[in-house]
Amino acid sequence: MQQGTPCVGGTRIPVETIARLVYGPGGSVQLATGSYPHLTRQQVLVACWYVGMYGTAVWSRRRWRAWAAGHADAMWAGRWNEVPDPPNGDNVQLALGSRS
């Protein structure tokens, strides 16, 4: 925790910061690990899982709720290769349809 904000374990990086890197347009787990090279894919996925399950003060959990719930068992069993990356904003736009 950093001033009441949930952070990635062992760091002072807020989970919301990671969520924004993954969810934003063009975002990905690779972008997050590239921006913070000391983070592992597992740490990024757990940060996204936390946001999906609990949300944060300004981040809605609706974006990743289904992804987080559907892959929690594999994460906690350590089967990381079975856990797909969470959907980013581009995937959500494609799923919802675009108005352009």
Side-chain angles (χ1 to χ4, degrees):
M1 297 290 273
Q2 176 184 346
Q3 298 178 357
T5 302
C7 294
V8 176
T11 73
R12 293 184 57 94
I13 303 168
V15 296
E16 187 170 321
T17 299
I18 299 303
R20 288 177 190 277
L21 286 172
V22 175
Y23 184 78
S28 67
V29 171
Q30 291 76 22
L31 177 63
T33 56
S35 299
Y36 295 97
H38 58 283
L39 291 182
T40 64
R41 179 176 185 267
Q42 290 86 349
Q43 287 174 302
V44 172
L45 290 176
V46 170
C48 293
W49 176 86
Y50 180 91
V51 171
M53 293 303 290
Y54 302 107
T56 64
V58 296
W59 188 268
S60 169
R61 64 183 174 182
R62 287 179 291 164
R63 293 178 176 115
W64 285 334
R65 179 75 170 169
W67 171 84
H71 301 290
D73 290 342
M75 275 194 233
W76 302 125
R79 299 187 315 263
W80 296 102
N81 57 336
E82 296 177 16
V83 181
D85 291 351
N88 67 13
D90 297 334
N91 296 343
V92 172
Q93 287 298 337
L94 291 173
L96 297 177
S98 123
R99 293 185 178 190
S100 55

